[in-house]
Amino acid sequence: MGDNLLLIENVHFAYGSQPVLADISLTCSTQGVVALMGPSGCGKTTLLSLMLGLLNPDAGRIVCAVQRLSVMFQEPLLLPWRTAIDNVAFALKGQVAARREREEKAAAMLKAVELPEEHYRQFPDQLSGGMRQRVSLARALVVEPDMLLLDEPFHGLDFSLVQQMQALLCHHVDAHGMGLLMVTHDARHAVALADEILLLTSAPTRIVTRFENYGRGNRQQELALADEIEHALMGDVTGRFGPRPKA
Amino acid sequence: MLALWQAGHVAYGSLVLPGVGETFVMLGRMIRAGEVVVALQTTTFNALLGWCISVVMGVMAGGMAGRFKDVRFVLQPVSIILLGIPAIAWIVLALLWFGGRWAVVFTVAVATAPMIFAAALQAVRSLDGDLARMARAFHAPPRAMVSDVYGPHMLAYLYPALATTLAMSWKVSIMAELLSGSGGIGDGIAAARARVDTAQLLAWVVVVVFILIVLDHLLLRLVRERMHVWRRQEERGNHGG
């Protein structure tokens, strides 16, 4: 693990009078992979929006040393009126690049996510769900991010596609030093990728436990940890990992 | 349809319904005399100018009303009242207020603007916040926000209203010209009526129908086919919630 890319310190956030996040602290470093897990609606997506700068924290601070921050949303969120290649090239519109250069980079990234070439000029409606997720991943990676945020990236995808996408993400982490922060409901996805897993509880969201350096790559340990996390999430998270904070 | 037309001519005679050949001979004569070109230019100018004013005003007002609740509260009842006033009433009023060609342009604008307004209002209200969030996350510049995110969405909602009002602007323009006597196809029809020249009147109708078919095939169909594929998803998304 290298330098800190993202530092979140004691962040609080509320929608009006409704507290959503309370005292959240975490860091993500170069080549670091952090997974956030918690019950539905516990504010994980709000936390991602804060990291993206789409929302501002009420208290605490977010220090972002990232030059190119990218994101893959839970839904593909592709522009329905643009083809697959144009959707990927859209992510480069914020950079100084000619149209041809944008298209070349987009095509190269679509090839990397193994989208067959005959689908490059098709609209999202003409693609399957898995293909749309590939396009969404290609759009996230085409900006060559030094930090990538993933919001439920593998939701509803079949096993082989999940493995392909995970392998591609691991390659970008290892080869390009990309930091990765993912929100997921699936403990197996978390343990397969993450160096650090944070469990959250809701109303308002707090980090109730952290798993670090648990031996990623050891299949037995991964499965045991995934089971432990799933049990914790299915039961009362706070019962196992600490008292429920008062809202 | 041509056979039915000809059968009607045989049944009722030339005064009530001139034959197909007779009408096209008259049309040829009018084209050679240069009447058709001049009238087409005048009507095209009136219809397109009125329509463009209507689009600019309708999109601006509808966009504001879609974005701001207070503006919607004020403008929506006005739009409903304007929509309820028949075009013929506007023509009479416009003739009193402006007279001549500007009465025609005004009538076209005021008769079509409420439909554009309603479509623009709906377009803005249904803008997809998630797509805008995605675009902001990728630091899309304002120009890309307009051309890639908001523009195509607005066009999808506005297109049916734009196509309908473009055709309507021609018909309203001709009707207004007929009463104002300020040139154009409507004026030609009025002159044919005064002379009880049914063949000439039908020749003008042929010109109008021809222009609307050309407009639909050359311009509107191209846009419609381009939008067809991705609009299916829009419609499914809207219906599916």
Side-chain angles (χ1 to χ4, degrees):
Chain A
M1 300 253 285
D3 303 328
N4 278 350
L5 287 170
L6 189 70
L7 172 70
I8 295 178
E9 265 187 358
N10 312 112
V11 162
H12 293 251
F13 181 80
Y15 285 115
S17 60
Q18 182 70 38
V20 180
L21 304 175
D23 203 24
I24 300 287
S25 296
L26 63 91
T27 58
C28 191
S29 316
T30 308
Q31 286 193 313
V33 182
V34 176
L36 295 175
M37 299 193 65
S40 295
C42 79
K44 301 186 291 287
T45 302
T46 301
L47 187 53
L48 285 191
S49 295
L50 285 163
M51 293 176 201
L52 284 166
L54 300 175
L55 297 170
N56 293 314
D58 296 335
R61 65 179 189 140
I62 297 176
V63 182
C64 189
V66 178
Q67 286 188 322
R68 288 182 304 277
L69 182 63
S70 190
V71 62
M72 183 181 170
F73 296 96
Q74 185 173 358
E75 298 295 326
L77 294 185
L78 302 177
L79 299 166
W81 40 80
R82 293 283 179 262
T83 59
I85 194 165
D86 286 343
N87 263 288
V88 178
F90 175 77
L92 296 166
K93 286 212 166 175
Q95 300 180 6
V96 182
R99 182 185 167 87
R100 190 184 180 85
E101 189 187 343
R102 286 200 303 264
E103 284 206 357
E104 282 170 3
K105 284 187 175 178
M109 194 48 72
L110 283 174
K111 192 176 179 186
V113 298
E114 297 181 26
L115 185 80
E117 203 169 335
E118 63 266 28
H119 298 297
Y120 287 12
R121 299 279 169 196
Q122 289 189 322
F123 290 96
D125 188 44
Q126 297 169 297
L127 303 174
S128 68
M131 287 176 186
R132 286 200 283 267
Q133 284 290 77
R134 284 173 205 243
V135 175
S136 176
L137 179 61
R139 182 181 61 192
L141 291 174
V142 77
V143 296
E144 297 170 7
D146 37 16
M147 173 99 203
L148 176 61
L149 307 178
L150 303 171
D151 189 358
E152 298 282 1
F154 313 121
H155 180 73
L157 299 182
D158 64 61
F159 182 70
S160 64
L161 183 57
V162 169
Q163 282 205 315
Q164 270 180 28
M165 290 171 80
Q166 285 180 347
L168 186 66
L169 288 169
C170 285
H171 168 75
H172 273 261
V173 170
D174 296 336
H176 305 296
M178 183 177 78
L180 201 123
L181 190 143
M182 65 186 288
V183 164
T184 181
H185 275 106
D186 195 319
R188 286 162 305 170
H189 296 158
V191 297
L193 281 176
D195 305 307
E196 183 181 14
I197 298 172
L198 309 178
L199 292 197
L200 306 170
T201 187
S202 56
T205 298
R206 289 172 191 273
I207 295 172
V208 287
T209 194
R210 294 169 190 261
F211 295 90
E212 290 178 88
N213 301 319
Y214 52 83
R216 184 156 66 90
N218 181 322
R219 188 78 183 139
Q220 290 299 321
Q221 281 190 34
E222 279 183 16
L223 288 173
L225 181 62
D227 276 349
E228 190 177 347
I229 292 170
E230 276 180 2
H231 279 111
L233 289 170
M234 280 193 305
D236 182 1
V237 172
T238 54
R240 286 175 73 96
F241 299 111
R244 180 186 291 276
K246 285 179 183 165
Chain B
M1 197 160 169
L2 287 175
L4 272 176
W5 178 358
Q6 193 58 28
H9 162 66
V10 171
Y12 297 104
S14 282
L15 185 66
V16 175
L17 191 62
V20 178
E22 198 180 334
T23 303
F24 278 89
V25 166
M26 174 58 79
L27 180 59
R29 198 179 301 155
M30 286 158 58
I31 291 170
R32 281 194 298 278
E35 276 178 70
V36 173
V37 174
V38 174
L40 265 179
Q41 281 173 346
T42 307
T43 301
T44 305
F45 176 85
N46 292 341
L48 283 187
L49 184 61
W51 182 73
C52 287
I53 293 170
S54 153
V55 170
V56 172
M57 302 294 284
V59 169
M60 280 174 59
M64 296 281 283
R67 180 73 182 78
F68 303 106
K69 199 176 169 186
D70 291 344
V71 179
R72 184 160 68 244
F73 184 74
V74 173
L75 290 184
Q76 213 161 21
V78 176
S79 162
I80 292 167
I81 291 166
L82 293 184
L83 207 58
I85 298 175
I88 195 78
W90 281 120
I91 296 167
V92 175
L93 282 172
L95 283 172
L96 293 171
W97 292 341
F98 308 104
R101 122 171 308 178
W102 295 108
V104 180
V105 174
F106 172 82
T107 306
V108 170
V110 82
T112 53
M115 290 174 71
I116 307 268
F117 169 85
L121 190 154
Q122 198 55 38
V124 170
R125 290 198 75 187
S126 63
L127 280 173
D128 190 337
D130 284 340
L131 285 183
R133 190 165 61 95
M134 177 279 293
R136 285 204 306 277
F138 283 105
H139 307 289
R143 204 174 66 176
M145 293 295 283
V146 172
S147 66
D148 292 272
V149 182
Y150 295 129
H153 176 91
M154 290 285 287
L155 186 62
Y157 272 83
L158 280 173
Y159 175 77
L162 293 178
T164 308
T165 51
L166 186 57
M168 191 176 152
S169 68
W170 268 79
K171 294 180 208 168
V172 173
S173 178
I174 290 166
M175 196 162 63
E177 287 162 1
L178 193 144
L179 291 180
S180 69
S182 60
I185 294 172
D187 205 10
I189 291 173
R193 186 186 66 108
R195 290 197 296 270
V196 200
D197 189 341
T198 325
Q200 194 178 38
L201 201 150
L202 277 183
W204 284 119
V205 171
V206 170
V207 171
V208 173
V209 171
F210 176 75
I211 292 299
L212 289 179
I213 289 172
V214 168
L215 197 70
D216 185 69
H217 273 69
L218 287 188
L219 190 66
L220 302 180
R221 185 163 291 183
L222 285 177
V223 184
R224 197 162 49 221
E225 280 173 4
R226 171 79 185 157
M227 290 201 305
H228 176 70
V229 176
W230 59 261
R231 282 211 72 188
R232 280 186 297 161
Q233 185 182 7
E234 286 267 295
E235 284 156 12
R236 265 213 299 276
N238 290 341
H239 294 152

